[in-house]
Amino acid sequence: DAGSSVEEMEFNWEEYLEDTGAIAAPHGSFKHVDTSLQNGFAPGMKLEVAVKSDQNTYWVATIITTCGQLLLLRYDGYGEDRKADFWCDILTADLHPIGWCEQNKKILKVPEGIKDKIPDQEEFLQRVLKGACSAPANLLEGLHRGKNPLDLIAPGSRLELQNIRDSLEAWIVNVVENVGGRLKLRYEGLEDLDKFDQWLFYLDPFLHQVGWAAQHGYSLQPPLAIRSLRSEADWQEILKKVKEEEEESSVPTDLFKDKPVIRVHSFSEGMKLEAVDPMAPFVISPATVLKVYNDKYFLIEVDDLRGERASGQRYVCHVDSAGIFPVQWSLKNGLHLSPPPGYPGQDFDWADYLKQCGAEAAPQSCFPSLTSDHGFKENMKLEAVNPVDPEEVCIATVTKLKDSYLWLQLEGSKKAVPECIVSVESMNIFPVGWCETNGYQLRPPRKAIVNKQKKIAVVQPEKQILSSRTVHDGLKNQELNSSDSVVINGKYCCPKIYFNHRCFSGPYLNKGRIAELPQSVGPGNCVLVLKEVLTLLINAAYKPSRVLRELQLDEEAAWHGHGETLKAKYKGKSYRATVEVVRTADRVADFCRKTCIKLECCPNLFGPQMVLDKCSENCSVLTKTKYTHYYGKRKNKRIGRPPGGHSNLEVAMKKPNKRRKRRKHFFVHKKKRSSTSVDNTPAGSPQGSGAEEEDDQDESELSHSLAQDRDKRKRKLRTFSFSDDENKPPSPKDIKMEVAEKLQLDSNPLEWSVADVVRFLKSTDCAPLARIFLDQEIDGQALLLLTLPTVQECMDLKLGPAIKLCHHIERVKLAFYQQFAN
């Protein structure tokens, strides 16, 4: 036991996934966990906040992000400037819903920092508050102020639980423990007797607030299994006591607003179907609709043919209950159907069985349609409840998928259990890290990797946890600096990251693969969520290794966050690179936007904001060329003046045998390096050569091509290489170029600065391309060496715009030869 506890303490998910070569199931696949993390506040909501410099005045602020009882706010008027963002504790800060100041005769006054930006206060407020969503008043005032709705289900709270075994009766249960919404429940009247305790997620359809049974006409009495433990008089006395203490122990009714709605069913008594026993979800068996209670609930019994006294497991179902299937579902999906106990022979046949029983099969229309769009894949890892011992939450591996169902192999359980069959919407499965986040013991595999001598390449994120008390002690006026880490009591702090599939995906990312990504990831720990997002993007690239190189950490890291090791596979080779991610929620939006720009896609392609109809960047109307102009960087193919300011390109060329010193910690190949294997893909070499080495090669080759291009200007159109392979070259008849007047230059182009080149381009119809020349520092000498192939390759232009640009460049060259060449 001692040795086992040591292994449990040292188990690490990151290390385990690395050693097993597995990946975690995406956070977005666990909808019940996502719902449990919502605190009622949302980014974009507005409220009225006391101004720090003058507590007697208030101003309108917008919620930027939320983290437990903390809100990151920005006073309206600061626009996109986040320097003045501040954290407020809902419990203690002077926060109110929109309209509170007017109702309570309080003063709304512009803060000093933005006074100059808002000349007309009334006009500004009318504009920003038009159609605005106010933070809910009940979350800012009263007993529930500052509390996560989930935290309101405290030990001692009372609920009503339907009896899922016998009939539609219900009885009061006490909350013994609340682990992230997973409740340990004990029947009222059993005191310290834990034999009949149950674990249920708070959104379970059979769990209700006190008073539900009376409201819906169901009887309130203890289950048959515990009824004999007390006299009828005792049970009535317990019920009387509960009603007297109802106000003290009640849970807010709006806590259950996100529960699944029970729909009307169409089952009839005697119908046959296939079912998985929820108490032992290991096999699929024939079952019968034993009783129909009403239009929402019916009783299922697993068939058992062993004599008159025998009866199978019974449980109450509704139309969306997990584990009920139409007849022949197992056969159609290539699965084994376990014959009923007492059935003669092993070859079960539904047609013969229905004939023997004189029963009919439940029609397909009785069952909900199943979906395979859930994000789970074989060999993914997650955390799952052991159905045999619900106290245990184990590591689980997805071994098989059929429609909306998973087959899970549990690892590390005290007693070995067969593969479990669970719905993808089961509330007994959780994402990787859920137990650690909620302070619950995860059962690790028996042979967990716990070697202390092992060196780990991945930089593990430090956990910066601030208790609520620490927050209060360290604050003045209940504010935190926006750069502080805010992981309150170990709870999630990163907002949900959406993949906005309609947005422009850019030259690196495959539009089809982007469309297959989940709608969202998270919320969760910032480092883990962003690492998952970047991994999904890398895998959705045309060349994953190239995207990994674009994302890798450089020496001038802007985020000062965590260096995380990410991997990519391309053409059978594995690549690694250190990628920096932010670790605080307030920096996530900016990080996502700038990462999008780095990958030359729409800044809204992924981030904490969902794009519903139209992207704010209007990216759908932009071509790839225009988009590269606005958001592209192309730093690895600069065509400006070489370093050192040499005017002779040949002098600036690097010697063939001379290499820069490698940064070995970047882009290291997973396998043993080989002196003979070279990968000629744009992503680099599997020998560990980072971006620098490739840049050297690019610059050298480019300089060489520039020198050669002076003698090869008359290339045929069909020999041009196109950087945008999605667009065919236009036919000659589509290219219309008017003959411009002869150009007369006032100065020698060889002496032009970058500013002179930009000024010239702005005087032409290629003015939108001037920014590229400015970014790449193209001066007059570099301009005279540009040719059509070079422009296409290095500026990523389509043929039409490239020809138009080169037409103006040729005019400059002709004028140079005529006016200054001698």
Side-chain angles (χ1 to χ4, degrees):
D1 287 341
S4 174
S5 64
V6 170
E7 286 195 353
E8 289 174 5
M9 282 176 56
E10 294 187 0
F11 175 76
N12 180 284
W13 261 116
E14 288 278 346
E15 192 175 332
Y16 181 65
L17 291 173
E18 176 80 14
D19 290 328
T20 57
I23 61 172
H27 281 263
S29 296
F30 304 88
K31 296 177 182 177
H32 60 298
V33 176
D34 188 9
T35 301
S36 71
L37 297 173
Q38 298 171 4
N39 64 359
F41 293 100
M45 286 182 176
K46 295 185 183 294
L47 59 166
E48 295 175 355
V49 189
V51 178
K52 182 179 179 181
S53 57
D54 184 358
Q55 292 293 322
N56 294 319
T57 65
Y58 297 79
W59 189 242
V60 176
T62 300
I63 298 175
I64 303 302
T65 192
T66 67
C67 182
Q69 67 192 48
L70 295 183
L71 302 177
L72 181 63
L73 304 178
R74 181 182 303 163
Y75 285 124
D76 281 15
Y78 276 98
E80 297 299 319
D81 184 4
R82 67 182 191 88
K83 291 179 182 177
D85 291 4
F86 58 98
W87 288 97
C88 274
D89 188 332
I90 306 165
L91 281 175
T92 54
D94 197 356
L95 308 174
H96 305 280
I98 295 297
W100 180 87
C101 284
E102 184 178 356
Q103 294 171 5
N104 293 273
K105 303 295 187 290
K106 298 292 183 180
I107 302 171
L108 274 173
K109 184 180 177 182
V110 183
E112 287 295 329
I114 51 175
K115 202 169 183 179
D116 295 339
K117 298 181 180 179
I118 304 175
D120 187 337
Q121 176 176 311
E122 293 301 321
E123 184 275 333
F124 177 81
L125 287 175
Q126 286 182 6
R127 178 161 46 86
V128 298
L129 294 179
K130 185 179 181 180
C133 177
S134 172
N138 65 307
L139 298 178
L140 294 170
E141 303 165 351
L143 294 174
H144 299 157
R145 176 178 178 173
K147 291 186 178 180
N148 187 313
L150 195 59
D151 294 335
L152 298 175
I153 312 178
S157 299
R158 289 190 176 110
L159 298 165
E160 288 182 3
L161 177 63
Q162 284 179 262
N163 188 339
I164 64 171
R165 292 177 182 268
D166 299 310
S167 65
L168 287 183
E169 299 169 343
W171 187 241
I172 299 99
V173 288
N174 267 297
V175 176
V176 178
E177 193 176 353
N178 179 355
V179 181
R182 189 167 182 257
L183 309 178
K184 185 176 184 180
L185 304 171
R186 183 169 299 165
Y187 286 116
E188 185 73 40
L190 298 190
E191 277 77 40
D192 297 329
L193 183 61
D194 61 0
K195 179 181 178 182
F196 300 96
D197 287 359
Q198 296 184 54
W199 282 92
L200 289 175
F201 203 74
Y202 82 104
L203 294 173
D204 190 284
F206 288 89
L207 197 59
H208 313 277
Q209 70 273 18
V210 172
W212 177 88
Q215 185 180 351
H216 291 82
Y218 297 124
S219 60
L220 194 61
Q221 56 181 319
L224 195 60
I226 66 170
R227 200 171 298 172
S228 60
L229 299 177
R230 291 183 177 271
S231 66
E232 184 62 30
D234 288 341
W235 288 120
Q236 290 302 318
E237 189 63 30
I238 290 169
L239 198 56
K240 181 181 177 182
K241 179 187 174 185
V242 169
K243 290 183 178 178
E244 290 174 354
E245 300 174 354
E246 186 172 338
E247 276 194 30
E248 300 174 17
S249 61
S250 64
V251 171
T253 55
D254 61 351
L255 190 66
F256 300 98
K257 62 180 173 45
D258 296 315
K259 275 177 50 175
V261 177
I262 304 299
R263 299 184 296 124
V264 173
H265 73 81
S266 55
F267 286 93
S268 302
E269 289 185 10
M271 283 183 174
K272 295 286 185 182
L273 65 157
E274 298 180 1
V276 175
D277 181 355
M279 305 304 163
F282 311 121
V283 296
I284 304 174
S285 308
T288 305
V289 178
L290 197 64
K291 184 177 181 179
V292 174
Y293 293 107
N294 52 29
D295 61 354
K296 290 188 177 179
Y297 298 101
F298 52 95
L299 188 68
I300 290 285
E301 180 181 56
V302 178
D303 288 359
D304 191 328
L305 307 179
R306 295 174 298 184
E308 295 180 1
R309 293 185 179 180
S311 62
Q313 176 67 45
R314 298 176 179 181
Y315 50 94
V316 177
C317 286
H318 52 86
V319 67
D320 292 311
S321 287
I324 57 174
F325 313 100
V327 163
Q328 303 284 14
W329 186 82
S330 297
L331 181 65
K332 291 176 182 177
N333 286 278
L335 302 169
H336 176 68
L337 179 70
S338 181
Y343 182 81
Q346 290 298 313
D347 297 329
F348 180 82
D349 182 79
W350 262 115
D352 291 343
Y353 185 62
L354 289 172
K355 189 174 182 180
Q356 291 171 17
C357 298
E360 64 170 334
Q364 179 74 46
S365 59
C366 289
F367 301 87
S369 57
L370 301 179
T371 175
S372 56
D373 182 21
H374 43 66
F376 291 100
K377 294 180 180 178
E378 285 188 13
N379 298 319
M380 279 183 171
K381 301 285 185 180
L382 58 145
E383 299 176 2
V385 174
N386 183 351
V388 176
D389 183 2
E391 290 272 353
E392 284 187 355
V393 180
C394 306
I395 288 175
T397 305
V398 179
T399 59
K400 184 163 51 183
L401 297 99
K402 293 294 180 183
D403 292 330
S404 301
Y405 288 84
L406 310 174
W407 274 250
L408 299 178
Q409 182 63 58
L410 303 186
E411 304 173 40
S413 55
K414 293 176 184 176
K415 294 182 181 179
V417 294
E419 286 186 351
C420 309
I421 306 170
V422 301
S423 165
V424 295
E425 296 183 351
S426 168
M427 297 184 192
N428 284 326
I429 58 176
F430 304 94
V432 163
W434 183 85
C435 280
E436 181 183 6
T437 298
N438 290 284
Y440 196 77
Q441 180 62 59
L442 173 69
R443 293 290 303 178
R446 291 186 179 85
K447 296 180 181 179
I449 310 298
V450 292
N451 185 356
K452 293 183 180 180
Q453 302 299 319
K454 180 175 178 181
K455 294 182 179 179
I456 304 173
V458 179
V459 179
Q460 295 296 338
E462 298 174 4
K463 292 182 177 63
Q464 296 193 359
I465 300 178
L466 305 177
S467 67
S468 297
R469 186 69 262 156
T470 306
V471 172
H472 288 301
D473 294 343
L475 298 184
K476 287 186 178 179
N477 298 326
Q478 298 81 42
E479 293 187 9
L480 271 175
N481 187 284
S482 64
S483 63
D484 289 338
S485 179
V486 283
V487 185
I488 304 300
N489 294 330
K491 294 194 175 178
Y492 295 92
C493 72
C494 182
K496 185 185 292 186
I497 304 298
Y498 295 96
F499 289 104
N500 297 308
H501 301 131
R502 296 181 181 180
C503 289
F504 185 84
S505 57
Y508 296 133
L509 304 177
N510 185 314
K511 184 72 173 176
R513 293 176 190 167
I514 290 290
E516 294 173 359
L517 295 181
Q519 186 180 26
S520 63
V521 173
N525 176 282
C526 276
V527 174
L528 296 180
V529 169
L530 292 176
K531 187 174 180 181
E532 181 178 345
V533 168
L534 295 181
T535 298
L536 289 170
L537 288 173
I538 290 168
N539 294 333
Y542 290 107
K543 297 179 180 179
S545 52
R546 175 63 182 272
V547 169
L548 182 60
R549 196 198 72 174
E550 292 294 327
L551 294 174
Q552 71 180 2
L553 181 66
D554 57 29
E555 290 178 348
E556 298 177 357
W559 297 106
H560 307 293
H562 275 290
E564 289 292 317
T565 300
L566 297 184
K567 294 179 288 186
K569 290 187 177 180
Y570 183 62
K571 292 188 176 180
K573 296 170 184 174
S574 296
Y575 300 83
R576 291 189 186 195
T578 302
V579 176
E580 188 186 30
V581 295
V582 295
R583 60 185 180 185
T584 57
D586 61 298
R587 310 188 76 189
V588 168
D590 201 26
F591 173 83
C592 291
R593 184 175 180 86
K594 290 184 177 176
T595 302
C596 286
I597 292 173
K598 184 185 288 186
L599 295 180
E600 301 183 27
C601 54
C602 174
N604 292 331
L605 181 65
F606 61 92
Q609 295 295 328
M610 180 189 291
V611 174
L612 298 175
D613 299 316
K614 189 175 180 181
C615 172
S616 60
E617 301 291 334
N618 203 24
C619 65
S620 60
V621 302
L622 292 173
T623 64
K624 185 173 292 187
T625 301
K626 290 180 181 177
Y627 216 86
T628 303
H629 161 59
Y630 286 120
Y631 296 108
K633 53 175 184 7
R634 317 301 294 172
K635 288 182 180 177
N636 59 329
K637 289 190 175 182
R638 299 183 69 88
I639 56 177
R641 178 178 258 180
H646 298 289
S647 60
N648 189 336
L649 284 175
E650 299 296 335
V651 176
M653 285 175 56
K654 297 166 181 61
K655 295 181 180 179
N657 297 325
K658 185 175 181 179
R659 292 185 178 179
R660 291 187 188 178
K661 185 178 180 180
R662 292 179 183 173
R663 287 180 283 172
K664 295 183 179 179
H665 61 292
F666 287 154
F667 220 61
V668 179
H669 192 258
K670 187 174 181 181
K671 300 175 183 177
K672 186 177 180 181
R673 297 180 180 180
S674 167
S675 60
T676 57
S677 69
V678 175
D679 179 12
N680 291 322
T681 67
S685 164
Q687 299 177 28
S689 58
E692 281 190 357
E693 191 171 356
E694 186 183 315
D695 287 350
D696 290 350
Q697 184 180 2
D698 285 346
E699 289 181 16
S700 178
E701 290 178 355
L702 185 56
S703 299
H704 184 61
S705 69
L706 286 173
Q708 287 186 329
D709 283 340
R710 285 175 293 185
D711 301 321
K712 297 183 178 180
R713 294 193 180 102
K714 294 183 180 180
R715 301 181 63 178
K716 293 183 180 178
L717 188 62
R718 60 183 176 83
T719 64
F720 295 152
S721 60
F722 301 95
S723 59
D724 186 353
D725 55 10
E726 297 174 4
N727 299 278
K728 295 180 180 179
S731 60
K733 66 180 181 180
D734 296 328
I735 304 175
K736 297 180 180 180
M737 187 70 67
E738 295 181 4
V739 179
E741 294 181 7
K742 182 178 177 182
L743 186 64
Q744 192 69 29
L745 299 178
D746 296 329
S747 59
N748 191 335
L750 281 176
E751 299 171 356
W752 282 4
S753 65
V754 175
D756 294 330
V757 173
V758 169
R759 194 175 300 113
F760 166 73
L761 282 174
K762 286 186 175 180
S763 68
T764 70
D765 56 357
C766 289
L769 302 178
R771 181 177 173 180
I772 300 178
F773 283 71
L774 181 62
D775 291 342
Q776 300 199 20
E777 299 178 9
I778 300 175
D779 61 9
Q781 294 179 29
L783 180 72
L784 293 176
L785 294 176
L786 292 180
T787 62
L788 183 57
T790 308
V791 164
Q792 281 189 279
E793 180 183 355
C794 299
M795 295 184 180
D796 199 21
L797 297 181
K798 293 180 183 177
L799 181 61
I803 290 177
K804 186 182 290 186
L805 173 62
C806 286
H807 167 70
H808 293 294
I809 294 173
E810 291 299 322
R811 292 175 64 209
V812 175
K813 290 179 183 178
L814 181 60
F816 165 71
Y817 291 132
Q818 292 178 341
Q819 294 180 238
F820 304 101
N822 295 326

